[in-house]
Amino acid sequence: MTVTIVGAQLGDEGKGGVVDIYGEAADVVVRYQGGDNAGHTVVHDGETYKLSLVPSGAVRGNVGVLGNGCVVNPATLFDEIDELRERGLEPDVRVAERAHVILPYHRVIDGVEEDEKADLAAGTTKRGIGPTYEDKAGRRGVRVGDLLDPGVLRERLEYVVPQKRALATEVFGIDLEGEVRDAFDIEVLFETYREFGERLAAEGMTVDCGTFLQERIDDGEAVMLEGAQGTSLDIDHGVYPYVTSSHPTAGGATVGTGLGPTVIGEGEVIGIVKAYLSRVGTGPLPTELGGVEGQTPDYDAETGADDDAEELATYIRDEGGEYGTVTGRPRRVGWLDLPMLRHAARTSGFTAIVVNHVDTLAGLDEVKVGHSYTMRTRDGEERTLTTVPPTTEQWARCEANLRTFDGWPEADWAAVAEDGWDALPEAARAYLEYVAGELDVPIYAVGVGPGREETVVREDPFA
Ligand code: IMP
């Protein structure tokens, strides 16, 4: 049986915590898209682990698989595995031979292209994710399986690297000096990546992903499919072009692992929702509170938004720790956006949701949600929408119609988690029931704090 975990919003919904709780019953945890642009924190036996590529289940003794839909930076992979080993763990990580490899030139190009794009820049993580998926679609990528065969690796590099050099120097005007020169040097790349291939082979890490997983399922094992990022960052269903280059939605779970849609459809697809919104990067956000310079479109830091909105935004940002883990930059925040959630629930066919960060909103007098949008058409007409419009320009012309709920007080959240659903403050339950009713799915768990034990668990999808 499979359980697929999908981010319902813009990433950072707390998927790692859910994988951590439900993953205990899983034998295998698979990532199906993205690469080391993700970031999850796993707390296990009192130790905190920060991972960006290795599936979080590997910390807990599950087999962790990077599916064919992932893009793999072998340097990050081995750094993370080595660190886990140094800390006394024995992670069992497998990598799909069909997964594509992030090469150093992808990172260089990601950084430079972002600078060139100006207003169209998605604010990428500069890990080379987009350029690697571009090469995959352009049929000039290097796959994990190619690293195992020096002849094939050399042939691929000899074809693609001259093109990358030309792109770097002639289009982007990059000076190929020092480390940057090595990123475009066939011999250096060949030696480095051949060695990565030798290590992958020596440790028996590569698999034919779909076959490997199907055999496990046929043997009665439980498989968890772990999405990274979120629905509104999906390259088809998100806020294009301010998206990532893969499919965080449940369709990505089938293409990105080699398991059939019917196999995944027999299991559960759980949408992970944060009780409010946060966003790294630009693009429309109709329920945004206040703004963040450089990320909120047309935001003027001098005049700001209205003071109450800025104050609320700061409160939620501080309570929720909505600051970049590396840069410390504030993230954009906003009220929960129901059109965005309806879109996510349909796109992935959620069978249930988990709502996180309910404790973060505690202490507010009232809590709002964007129930629907009023969109101004180009002709100046107004239309009510209950889901997100297809183009980003239309989305930018949407104003949220807010509904107001009573706020809920602070509580002893550890006790609430222990005592269960009925122990949640009544107003919080009313808020959650509204969300579940609108999406027509049950709530399987509610996150009321950062720790794993601070979760009200109502259903175990593997049970
Ligand atoms: P990329 O995935 O590095 O190409 O970045 C594309 C967009 O996705 C940017 O707006 C990033 O901020 C966003 N993004 C990528 N990974 C994450 C994530 O794990 N959480 C939240 N946003 C992300």
Side-chain angles (χ1 to χ4, degrees), residues 210-231:
T211 306
F212 177 81
L213 295 177
Q214 188 65 56
E215 282 175 5
R216 297 284 184 132
I217 292 170
D218 292 345
D219 285 346
E221 291 195 6
V223 174
M224 175 168 268
L225 300 124
E226 176 185 0
Q229 292 87 44
T231 303

Side-chain angles (χ1 to χ4, degrees), residues 3-10 13-16 18-19 22 32 224-225 227 229-231 248-250 268-275 336 340-356 432 435-436 439 441-447 461:
V3 171
T4 304
I5 300 293
V6 177
Q9 294 150 321
L10 292 144
E13 299 95 348
K15 293 179 291 295
V18 178
V19 172
Y22 291 146
Y32 55 83
M224 175 168 268
L225 300 124
Q229 292 87 44
T231 303
T249 46
E268 298 250 21
V269 177
I270 303 180
I272 314 304
V273 176
K274 180 146 73 178
L336 193 67
M340 191 188 273
L341 290 185
R342 293 187 194 99
H343 176 65
R346 187 199 63 256
T347 311
S348 288
F350 292 160
T351 56
I353 54 171
V354 169
V355 184
N356 281 324
L432 293 167
V435 176
L439 303 184
V441 289
I443 295 178
Y444 274 9
V446 181

Side-chain angles (χ1 to χ4, degrees), residues 248-269:
T249 46
T254 167
V255 181
T257 59
L259 290 174
T262 44
V263 173
I264 285 168
E266 272 172 17
E268 298 250 21
V269 177

